Amino acid sequence: MRPALLIVALFALLPSSPGVARANPPQGMTESVEQQIQKSSYMFVGTVQKTNASTMPTVPANDRTVVVHVDEVLYAPKTLADYTGRDVTVQLREGSNVKAGDRLAFFTNGGMFGAGVALVEVGRVEAGQDTRDLRRQIVQAFQKKDDEDLRKRIAKASLIVAGKVLKTGQAKFSEHQPLTEHDPQWQEAEIAIDVVQKGQLAARTVSILFAGSTDTMWFRSPKLKDGEEGIWLLHKDAVKWPGIKDRYVVVDPLDFQPRDQLDRVKRLLARGAN
Amino acid sequence: MKRTWHPDWVTLIAIGLLSIGISGVCNAQVLVVNMTPNSQSNEVGNDAEPNLAVNPANPSQIAATAFTPCPTAGTNAPIYVSVDGGNTWNLNCIVPGGNSVFGTGDITIRFPDSSGVLYAGDLRGDSFLEMNILRTSNFTSLAPMTVLEDRFSEDQPYIEAALVTSGPGAGNDRVYVGNNNFNTSPQTATVDLSLNAATPPPPAGFGPNTVEKRPTCGQNGPPTRPTVHPSGTIYAAFYHWTAGCGGSITSDVVVVRDDNWGSGGSPFTALLDVPGDGLPGRRVAIGVPLRWAADFGSQITLSSQISIAVDPSSRQTVWLAWADGASPTASNYTLHVRRSTDGGQTWTGDLRAVVPATNPALAINNSGKVGFLYQKFVNPGACAGGGSCWETHLETTSDGVRGPTWFSPTSRPLRTLGRTVTSATISI
């Protein structure tokens, strides 16, 4: 789960309050609210203070920039300062407009950050005083996105297994291994298989490669540990690297799933590749 | 690389150096500006491997990069932006393919003269060894940079750019991206170039040119560094690894040259190793020892330390700095600075040597003043308790032809650091 989702998760449990957020995007916006949420990294309810205006000298005011007072933050990364109660600049989507006094839920991305903040609008909906439905929509949209991301990764996997890591160690190659500061430092893990969820495998164990490096390139990659149990999405074409073409690798954070996610993996696998 | 987590002083250094300026005088004040915007003053990111570009047409416009994520942790990574000569800074999240912790991988940026277009070469933060070459016509715009080239199995894109001021192609931006292209192993030293990069749609003429012409032990060293003279003479420097590609490396230090913007059928072959093996690429040093990933203070040696700069007032005058040394403790890791005044054919001996040190970066201004930036490991140092330290130094010389006499604009190291970074660079 995204860390910031915790902020909105509790609100999703609250009873519904119908009619506080419009289900459809404003005229001219072709994406659904769900799609807009899924493409956004900062969402808030705000009141438009001024059109054709900016809070930042480096973002000149024009007919697409508006100053918005942040009334309530709906979703924000933990690393971002709290802008509640402050004015920010929003660059509207092309061809859209708002007027001073409008209270709206903005779905945005950064943006420029300096003495002020300028955000790039992905979309917006009208917002009432009660934002519980909106928060619920955000949670649901991200849950759908998380499912969709995992479904796509499942579709790409050559083999999906559940089991336990028997041992790990440094991988060995006969081919020249590129020297780069971004060396994945390939490690090899032997996994005892309980379930083959996708693909064919006669053996009861499988050897897989994972990146032991914590370099900028590999820090998110799964790091397998002796005795660890789980589900692994194994790929043969995820990384172009000498000597690994015919070997199974796990490199994406989604390539490891906790064991209790097996039903979810099965469900998403059943949805197929499209 | 050992990752050192530290606050934002990494980027402070860059602007500190810039503030001194290569034209600094003896009593120049060192102005240190915290580049992290006030709104993000609580950030504790890595912010490593900074790079800095000044718009020659408007020196108050400065862009910088580091391993910094966008504050909203979205899909675009930021560049640092200043429009007031470095006094205040913004983060502008316009680099496609960021991640929420480091932003991008290796990233460098350049403005050519006058066009105001900013170019970048980076390793995407959302992928593995995937290089992008990017541009924006307005680096303060909120619009994402345009991806001009996209290639996997890449390392260390390092960008330079220039404007054609007269003759054929006048007005065109010409952009050169040194990189280590594992798709062409075992000869991996590569320069991607475009002869007209500013406006055409992707790929805007970009394409790779392998500049290594000799056999290697499996690959070249990671860095291939270009430098551009406005007359159209392009140099590139790289390590030609001859043996020991597994770790204890023997290498030549090679400079190649092209005299017509890299536009011919055999680019970067104008400089032959004569006397020598007669092949393209002058071997400035032969058989130097390197050790991959030797412990070195708070980081490791990566045999990635090379820098080259051509004198804007003379296309024949080119300076080169590199590091070598094979001690497992990096105690003999030595920076060498040399100069050629005949287009790279002959070279001086060491005009400057510093040991143990790393991260050399050279730049030359229009007056011929040379700046040499590096970081020296001192043990015992001036850190608390007398422990080991990194010192960041900037030295300049104006009498390179006669001497040179190196001069430090500051009477003491710019900053004494407990930790350091890689790939520090200076730009003028």
Side-chain angles (χ1 to χ4, degrees):
Chain A
M1 174 181 281
R2 296 154 192 270
L5 271 180
L6 292 171
I7 298 170
V8 291
L10 292 175
F11 288 88
L13 301 175
L14 296 172
S16 173
S17 184
V20 293
R22 198 165 71 182
N24 297 316
Q27 198 171 9
M29 291 188 184
T30 55
E31 292 173 313
S32 68
V33 172
E34 181 179 280
Q35 289 171 317
Q36 293 171 6
I37 291 170
Q38 289 172 342
K39 290 180 177 177
S40 302
S41 52
Y42 183 72
M43 291 169 257
F44 66 97
V45 171
T47 304
V48 178
Q49 304 296 301
K50 200 172 180 184
T51 59
N52 206 335
S54 171
T55 57
M56 299 184 74
T58 43
V59 181
N62 59 49
D63 58 5
R64 285 178 61 196
T65 59
V66 296
V67 174
V68 181
H69 185 78
V70 178
D71 300 323
E72 181 181 344
V73 175
L74 301 172
Y75 177 93
K78 283 179 178 174
T79 51
L80 192 65
D82 184 3
Y83 293 108
T84 306
R86 293 174 57 180
D87 287 352
V88 299
T89 302
V90 176
Q91 178 180 278
L92 301 175
R93 285 169 55 136
E94 209 155 345
S96 61
N97 58 67
V98 298
K99 62 181 186 301
D102 285 353
R103 179 176 157 88
L104 299 160
F106 288 93
F107 311 126
T108 71
N109 284 313
M112 192 177 294
F113 301 82
V117 175
L119 300 159
V120 180
E121 182 192 60
V122 176
R124 82 187 92 94
V125 294
E126 291 174 3
Q129 293 302 316
D130 189 335
T131 57
R132 283 176 293 184
D133 260 9
L134 206 45
R135 290 176 180 275
R136 187 175 294 104
Q137 277 184 277
I138 292 170
V139 171
Q140 289 169 350
F142 277 137
Q143 282 173 343
K144 277 192 177 180
K145 184 174 188 308
D146 288 347
D147 273 359
E148 182 60 12
D149 289 346
L150 181 57
R151 186 195 64 77
K152 287 178 181 172
R153 196 66 190 164
I154 286 171
K156 285 182 180 175
S158 304
L159 192 67
I160 299 177
V161 301
K164 183 176 182 178
V165 178
L166 295 177
K167 60 179 180 181
T168 59
Q170 191 171 350
K172 292 183 172 56
F173 299 93
S174 53
E175 297 85 351
H176 168 70
Q177 292 295 290
L179 289 186
T180 161
E181 64 176 312
H182 308 298
D183 183 350
Q185 299 172 14
W186 291 117
Q187 305 286 301
E188 191 165 16
E190 186 180 1
I191 294 181
I193 300 170
D194 297 337
V195 180
V196 177
Q197 204 58 54
K198 180 183 178 185
Q200 304 279 328
L201 194 70
R204 299 311 302 166
T205 63
V206 64
S207 172
I208 66 176
L209 298 177
F210 65 99
S213 169
T214 55
D215 172 73
T216 58
M217 202 77 65
W218 306 102
F219 71 100
R220 294 170 299 165
S221 297
K223 315 294 181 200
L224 279 63
K225 298 178 183 65
D226 292 359
E228 183 178 40
E229 294 188 39
I231 305 160
W232 289 275
L233 282 54
L234 312 185
H235 303 261
K236 282 192 170 175
D237 54 358
V239 180
K240 195 174 173 187
W241 190 270
I244 69 167
K245 188 177 178 187
D246 296 318
R247 301 178 72 171
Y248 292 116
V249 300
V250 289
V251 288
D252 190 282
L254 294 175
D255 289 344
F256 170 76
Q257 296 294 319
R259 192 139 197 166
D260 62 8
Q261 294 295 300
L262 190 56
D263 286 344
R264 180 179 175 225
V265 170
K266 286 179 185 175
R267 176 170 51 84
L268 296 174
L269 180 61
R271 285 192 197 170
N274 298 315
Chain B
M1 176 189 308
K2 282 181 183 174
R3 292 293 165 205
T4 53
W5 290 84
H6 47 71
D8 49 16
W9 48 256
V10 172
T11 41
L12 308 188
I13 298 167
I15 191 57
L17 296 175
L18 183 76
S19 301
I20 293 165
I22 301 303
S23 59
V25 293
C26 185
N27 296 318
Q29 293 288 309
V30 176
L31 173 65
V32 176
V33 175
N34 187 341
M35 293 169 68
T36 300
N38 287 343
S39 59
Q40 291 303 116
S41 60
N42 62 338
E43 75 106 74
V44 291
N46 197 353
D47 300 334
E49 303 197 13
N51 194 249
L52 197 62
V54 179
N55 184 357
N58 182 358
S60 65
Q61 295 187 342
I62 310 172
T65 54
F67 291 169
T68 303
C70 184
T72 54
T75 54
N76 291 333
I79 61 170
Y80 292 78
V81 168
S82 176
V83 294
D84 60 5
N87 285 306
T88 61
W89 289 84
N90 303 275
L91 287 173
N92 192 16
C93 303
I94 59 171
V95 182
N99 70 56
S100 61
V101 177
F102 294 107
T104 66
D106 308 351
I107 177 167
T108 56
I109 46 176
R110 283 297 174 271
F111 291 100
D113 287 343
S114 82
S115 77
V117 177
L118 180 71
Y119 297 91
D122 81 324
L123 297 181
R124 291 178 67 103
D126 62 352
S127 184
F128 307 105
L129 299 166
E130 182 180 0
M131 180 180 78
N132 278 177
I133 298 173
L134 307 146
R135 80 172 172 222
T136 176
S137 58
N138 178 4
F139 79 127
T140 66
S141 162
L142 302 179
M145 297 181 83
T146 302
V147 178
L148 302 176
E149 193 168 31
D150 182 17
R151 194 165 66 234
F152 283 91
S153 297
E154 279 287 352
D155 196 14
Q156 292 209 10
Y158 191 94
I159 199 163
E160 292 288 353
L163 178 82
V164 184
T165 54
S166 61
N172 287 353
D173 282 355
R174 297 200 160 156
V175 179
Y176 303 83
V177 184
N179 57 86
N180 205 27
N181 180 1
F182 293 115
N183 298 290
T184 59
S185 296
Q187 293 163 311
T188 55
T190 299
V191 175
D192 281 65
L193 67 88
S194 168
L195 300 176
N196 182 17
T199 55
F206 275 102
N209 298 274
T210 303
V211 295
E212 173 64 275
K213 303 302 180 189
R214 299 178 173 88
T216 72
C217 58
Q219 66 173 91
N220 290 101
T224 299
R225 302 289 192 250
T227 183
V228 185
H229 188 271
S231 68
T233 295
I234 318 295
Y235 296 89
F238 57 88
Y239 287 104
H240 167 229
W241 285 1
T242 57
C245 277
S248 293
I249 301 157
T250 302
S251 180
D252 301 337
V253 178
V254 176
V255 172
V256 294
R257 193 187 78 220
D258 191 282
D259 293 330
N260 191 24
W261 299 102
S263 63
S266 302
F268 299 101
T269 55
L271 180 58
L272 303 180
D273 193 52
V274 178
D277 64 11
L279 292 171
R282 186 67 171 137
R283 291 177 296 173
V284 181
I286 296 176
V288 301
L290 300 166
R291 180 178 290 268
W292 184 258
D295 284 327
F296 195 14
S298 56
Q299 60 174 315
I300 53 178
T301 64
L302 288 168
S303 309
S304 298
Q305 285 73 36
I306 197 164
S307 180
I308 188 167
V310 61
D311 187 337
S313 60
S314 168
R315 66 183 179 87
Q316 293 287 90
T317 300
V318 59
W319 290 67
L320 177 69
W322 79 89
D324 60 37
S327 165
T329 60
S331 59
N332 67 348
Y333 206 56
T334 305
L335 301 184
H336 307 265
V337 180
R338 297 186 184 183
R339 182 192 67 237
S340 170
T341 55
D342 59 3
Q345 201 65 54
T346 61
W347 291 81
T348 64
D350 284 354
L351 299 175
R352 186 81 175 95
V354 187
V355 60
T358 189
N359 290 336
L362 291 167
I364 310 175
N365 72 4
N366 288 330
S367 304
K369 181 170 278 191
V370 178
F372 174 42
L373 171 70
Y374 61 91
Q375 292 180 298
K376 184 175 183 181
F377 188 62
V378 288
N379 188 15
C383 289
S388 58
C389 287
W390 287 97
E391 293 176 349
T392 302
H393 294 256
L394 174 63
E395 298 177 352
T396 63
T397 181
S398 292
D399 58 355
V401 176
R402 295 190 302 275
T405 300
W406 293 93
F407 165 72
S408 174
T410 55
S411 58
R412 59 187 173 80
L414 286 170
R415 184 153 182 179
T416 303
L417 304 170
R419 298 169 178 149
T420 189
V421 296
T422 62
S423 301
T425 55
I426 51 177
S427 310
I428 49 178

